[in-house]
Amino acid sequence: MTAALVIQVTQHLLSCEDLIHQGWIIEGIPETRELARALQEKGIIPRHIVVLHAEDTVLIERNLGKRVDVFTGEVYHTTFDWPSDDMVVRNLKAPEGISEVETTRRLLKYHRNFPGILQSYEKPMKLINADQPCADVFSQVLTHVQAPPRTSAPFSPRIILCGPPGCGKSLQAVLLSKKYGIINVCCGQLLREAVANETKLGELIKPFLNEGWPVTDNLVIKVLMDRLNRLDCHIRGWVLHGFPRDEDQAKLMRNVGIAPNRVFFLNLTMEAILERLAYRAVDPVTGERYHTLYNPAPSKKAFYRLLTHPKDVEEHVKTKVEMYFRLAGDMKELFEDAVSINADQDPQTVFEYIESYVVNPLPSSPTWKRRKPTLVIVRDNL
């Protein structure tokens, strides 16, 4: 079976409603680094990865003893799991491809591909010795799956990044998420996912996105609460950007119990914003993104075919930025302990400033009164 067919079949199976709600287990896939990467590109990313390992001699011995019931498909073993029913014994047959030579060939292929598969996943794999009773192996796998994910963050951060378009909120959220395992919550992405998944809220949100209108605050807050109340956000913390945009939205968050413990305002002048956004363009042939000043097209031919996204047109950018400056002032007053950072510098320098405030102890007098969080436990996908 080709890699493309494997991906197609896997996508089809994982789109079933029961798997979406109950979770799934994939066994034996991926077999190569290339297939692992291709699955990730399609959004098939497991939360837990378990590797069952044993000595090659043990695996060869196990394989040689396999027998299959030709009628039921049940697998038995001449040493470990021999049926007591003589009728079943008469139906057993050695499956193809289990000879010592064939098993050794498959093991060599596995050992050759495993390092690449290991490098394809950022999450650490749980190595479990399979040369022990099945009940013990299962117990260790279950313990690993049920254990809460670890985070390197000093506490459970609840971070909000505010700032005008082009200030680098998305980039800083990605950097925080990668280093500390914090859940990256992009408000705009949540709305688009709700529409793509055809949820009830998504059907209500869809007309707004199609017409280019702002989604009403009551719909946004429902989508946001659903995401922030999931177990991973409670355990690992979250960094939110794209919401709130004004004082009313900030008050609405407070009223529903969404209380950040770190708020950052990334400040940038109108001139700097226009310099960052109005000179962006994309090559419609290659899909590559360029910037007239910082990352120009490599050739004249590529330069002349560059296109500017309508949202990056100078007049459109000015309108959005002016609206932000008009509304953000009142919001800053609501977050008295918010930290203002000059975003007109190297992104890594901005990240180091944010990081220094994130790792410090919580302020003694937080802006928002702490409330008991409402916890909605969502079943963890396997």
Side-chain angles (χ1 to χ4, degrees), residues 62-81:
R62 286 187 177 184
N63 224 31
L64 291 175
K66 283 183 179 179
R67 297 295 183 269
V68 178
D69 189 321
V70 295
F71 294 106
T72 65
E74 290 289 330
V75 179
Y76 297 90
H77 197 278
T78 55
T79 304
F80 307 113
D81 185 26

Side-chain angles (χ1 to χ4, degrees), residues 23-172:
W24 43 265
I25 301 175
I26 294 180
E27 181 267 329
I29 299 175
E31 296 181 336
T32 63
R33 174 185 174 89
E34 291 72 25
L35 183 54
R37 292 293 191 185
L39 289 171
Q40 291 174 5
E41 289 175 0
K42 297 298 182 180
I44 303 174
I45 304 175
R47 294 189 182 182
H48 304 278
I49 304 171
V50 176
V51 178
L52 304 180
H53 68 94
E55 296 292 335
D56 287 356
T57 53
V58 174
L59 298 174
I60 292 173
E61 180 186 353
R62 286 187 177 184
N63 224 31
L64 291 175
K66 283 183 179 179
R67 297 295 183 269
V68 178
D69 189 321
V70 295
F71 294 106
T72 65
E74 290 289 330
V75 179
Y76 297 90
H77 197 278
T78 55
T79 304
F80 307 113
D81 185 26
W82 193 248
S84 57
D85 190 337
D86 292 337
M87 291 290 293
V88 175
V89 173
R90 284 195 289 269
N91 297 331
L92 297 183
K93 181 181 178 181
E96 296 181 0
I98 67 167
S99 69
E100 186 171 349
V101 174
E102 290 172 314
T103 302
T104 302
R105 179 179 56 81
R106 291 167 60 191
L107 284 173
L108 288 174
K109 181 180 178 182
Y110 168 78
H111 291 311
R112 187 166 59 248
N113 290 324
F114 178 71
I117 298 174
L118 179 64
Q119 295 172 3
S120 299
Y121 292 96
E122 294 182 0
K123 298 178 182 178
M125 295 184 177
K126 177 66 174 178
L127 299 177
I128 297 178
N129 180 15
D131 189 15
Q132 52 183 323
C134 291
D136 294 342
V137 175
F138 174 73
S139 176
Q140 293 178 49
V141 173
L142 186 62
T143 300
H144 170 65
V145 171
Q146 292 179 332
R150 296 182 178 180
T151 173
S152 56
F155 58 94
S156 293
R158 301 187 300 276
I159 303 169
I160 292 180
L161 299 179
C162 301
C167 69
K169 300 186 294 294
S170 300
L171 174 59
Q172 297 304 323

Side-chain angles (χ1 to χ4, degrees), residues 277-292:
L277 301 185
Y279 293 95
R280 297 192 302 189
V282 63
D283 187 333
V285 176
T286 64
E288 292 291 330
R289 296 179 179 273
Y290 297 100
H291 191 282
T292 305

